[in-house]
Amino acid sequence: MKSSNVVKVSFKQQMLKAREDAIIETVNQLLAEKGFEAMTVDEVAASVGIAKASLYKHFPSKEDLAAAAMVRVMQRAQAFIKTLQPASPPLDNIRAVARWTMEVKLAGQMPSLPSQNSSLRATLMGNTEYMDGLMEVSDTLGAWIEAAQKGGTLNPKLPAIAVLYTLYARACDPVLEFLKMGGQHDDTQIVEMVLSTCFDGLNTR
Amino acid sequence: MKSSNVVKVSFKQQMLKAREDAIIETVNQLLAEKGFEAMTVDEVAASVGIAKASLYKHFPSKEDLAAAAMVRVMQRAQAFIKTLQPASPPLDNIRAVARWTMEVKLAGQMPSLPSQNSSLRATLMGNTEYMDGLMEVSDTLGAWIEAAQKGGTLNPKLPAIAVLYTLYARACDPVLEFLKMGGQHDDTQIVEMVLSTCFDGLNTR
DNA sequence: GTCTATAAATAGATAGAC
DNA sequence: GTCTATCTATTTATAGAC
């Protein structure tokens, strides 16, 4: 009897999680496509295929809805970073993260960060899961950056924080979509080009 | 009598233009601060200090209001480019444009480009003034880029269009505001750092 | 052209039945 | 938890007096 209950509850929870995953997936896509302000809860509900009121049973507000999607992306980033070899040259890992970020963006799955004074910003900053993830990622990348600078592969004259921000900025680099719209290059080529401009610069070497 | 009329009309038109300039100035600032979707017409009216209905006598829609601000920025870019010496090394002029773009952005006067499927996008693409300005700027920069690539100062392996997009992207580079928020560097230092990452890359040279 | 007042549409969010 | 129906606030846009 007890174990039966446990199983039932677990099953229900699995269903719940599956649905919430579907919701977050949709929100993620809409955030990447049009941003937080332009995305409407009606759209989300229609796209998921449930009533708007049902959405609000899962998430208390539009901000929390978006925050859940941001948390998921952050978790994916953390998961990807864990697949990298700590023993690899730091620059290799840094480049791998930049490449991953751009691939996600090109796949239309990178939610654009909220602009300066969005209501989403405050929600995100109060979201422990998101902030913890952000800090963990920043710590890992920061260590790699400093190691690469000491190792002489990354320019040691740049503040490490500037390098870190430059990496983060690949998540919202419009060059990727511009080049994709041009139709002259496939995703792989685009990623390689932007990687080149990012690490090697525009000038001749 | 006739000349008096002419003067009167001209004066009225000057007043009109002055007011519209003030409106556009405000819109420009709001666009830079929060983007098109988050900016409201009420805000604009309140900030300018006139009634909302009066705004609509000047501009037929929110999109046209924003487009006017975008046109003005484009005109400023064109004006700045005209101050540059055609005989200068192309790379110098390219860097000057990049620097100017970032300075405008840091001053909070660079409206963020509308995301992929914004209603503003369509309006802008149908705005001859804006599109003509964009093409003129692109032609000038494009010529400099190709000259710099032939001259061996810009990496000739990169498609010129990719270089052009990379320059345009400085107008919405979040690294600038991130570094500014950090408070560790002044605007001049920030511009120099981002210029360095843009043209020299993150790697050691 | 500027204003007050008001439409008309849409947004985020909730009530309450099932 | 899901739904339909509704609320409340806000938003873009207009009417109409001056």
Side-chain angles (χ1 to χ4, degrees):
Chain A
M1 190 64 172
K2 186 185 173 194
S3 82
S4 165
N5 272 346
V6 168
V7 169
K8 269 190 181 174
V9 168
S10 174
F11 177 73
K12 267 194 184 175
Q13 286 179 340
Q14 277 185 15
M15 295 300 293
L16 185 77
K17 188 178 185 311
R19 168 138 296 183
E20 293 195 343
D21 275 351
I23 294 173
I24 293 177
E25 181 78 21
T26 294
V27 171
N28 192 26
Q29 199 168 338
L30 286 172
L31 280 181
E33 186 185 327
K34 48 208 306 182
F36 176 70
E37 329 282 347
M39 178 188 80
T40 71
V41 179
D42 288 89
E43 262 178 330
V44 176
S47 184
V48 173
I50 66 176
K52 184 163 55 167
S54 303
L55 261 189
Y56 277 96
K57 298 285 182 178
H58 291 277
F59 302 93
S61 74
K62 184 188 175 185
E63 281 78 11
D64 289 282
L65 202 53
M70 303 292 283
V71 165
R72 208 190 55 140
V73 168
M74 190 61 73
Q75 287 170 339
R76 286 189 175 177
Q78 292 176 273
F80 174 76
I81 287 177
K82 285 210 182 79
T83 69
L84 299 175
Q85 306 295 330
S88 297
L91 183 57
D92 289 2
N93 284 341
I94 292 170
R95 285 180 67 104
V97 172
R99 176 181 275 111
W100 176 86
T101 303
M102 293 191 287
E103 285 169 349
V104 173
K105 165 99 177 136
L106 273 175
Q109 290 172 351
M110 183 60 78
S112 44
L113 12 154
S115 71
Q116 303 83 317
N117 54 358
S118 170
S119 60
L120 177 56
R121 192 98 148 193
T123 301
L124 274 180
M125 305 245 308
N127 185 311
T128 311
E129 224 176 339
Y130 179 80
M131 292 306 288
D132 284 356
L134 179 60
M135 279 199 278
E136 185 187 311
V137 170
S138 297
D139 283 348
T140 304
L141 287 177
W144 284 338
I145 290 168
E146 289 180 0
Q149 287 182 317
K150 281 182 184 146
T153 52
L154 272 191
N155 181 2
K157 289 181 187 166
L158 290 170
I161 191 75
V163 179
L164 180 65
Y165 289 161
T166 301
L167 291 176
Y168 281 153
R170 286 329 102 208
C172 61
D173 192 343
V175 174
L176 294 164
E177 38 180 308
F178 283 166
L179 286 173
K180 195 180 178 89
M181 274 177 33
Q184 299 289 321
H185 309 89
D186 59 30
D187 285 11
T188 305
Q189 293 174 314
I190 293 174
V191 168
E192 292 309 316
M193 280 193 292
V194 180
L195 261 185
S196 169
T197 63
C198 181
F199 287 92
D200 299 329
L202 296 176
N203 290 346
T204 301
R205 275 191 182 257
Chain B
M1 187 67 169
K2 186 186 172 195
S3 81
S4 165
N5 272 345
V6 169
V7 169
K8 269 191 181 173
V9 169
S10 173
F11 178 73
K12 267 194 183 174
Q13 286 178 342
Q14 277 185 16
M15 295 301 293
L16 185 77
K17 189 179 182 314
R19 168 138 294 183
E20 292 195 343
D21 275 350
I23 294 172
I24 292 176
E25 181 77 22
T26 294
V27 171
N28 192 25
Q29 199 169 337
L30 287 172
L31 280 180
E33 184 186 328
K34 49 209 304 183
F36 176 71
E37 329 282 348
M39 177 189 81
T40 71
V41 179
D42 288 272
E43 262 178 330
V44 176
S47 183
V48 173
I50 66 175
K52 185 164 52 167
S54 304
L55 261 189
Y56 277 97
K57 299 283 184 178
H58 291 277
F59 302 93
S61 72
K62 184 188 175 185
E63 280 78 11
D64 289 281
L65 201 54
M70 303 293 283
V71 165
R72 208 189 56 138
V73 169
M74 190 61 72
Q75 288 171 338
R76 287 190 174 174
Q78 292 176 273
F80 173 76
I81 287 177
K82 284 207 182 81
T83 69
L84 299 176
Q85 306 296 330
S88 297
L91 183 57
D92 289 2
N93 285 340
I94 292 169
R95 286 180 66 103
V97 172
R99 177 180 274 110
W100 176 86
T101 303
M102 294 191 287
E103 285 169 349
V104 173
K105 165 96 176 141
L106 273 174
Q109 291 172 352
M110 182 61 78
S112 46
L113 13 153
S115 72
Q116 303 83 318
N117 54 358
S118 170
S119 60
L120 178 56
R121 191 97 148 195
T123 301
L124 274 179
M125 305 246 308
N127 185 311
T128 311
E129 224 176 339
Y130 179 80
M131 292 307 289
D132 285 355
L134 179 59
M135 278 198 278
E136 185 187 310
V137 170
S138 297
D139 284 347
T140 304
L141 288 176
W144 285 338
I145 290 168
E146 288 179 0
Q149 287 182 317
K150 281 182 184 147
T153 51
L154 272 190
N155 181 2
K157 289 181 186 164
L158 290 171
I161 191 75
V163 178
L164 180 65
Y165 289 162
T166 301
L167 291 177
Y168 281 154
R170 284 331 99 208
C172 61
D173 192 342
V175 174
L176 294 165
E177 37 181 307
F178 283 166
L179 286 173
K180 195 180 179 87
M181 273 177 35
Q184 299 289 321
H185 310 88
D186 59 31
D187 285 10
T188 305
Q189 293 174 315
I190 293 174
V191 168
E192 292 309 316
M193 279 193 292
V194 179
L195 262 184
S196 169
T197 63
C198 182
F199 287 92
D200 299 329
L202 296 176
N203 290 345
T204 301
R205 276 188 180 258

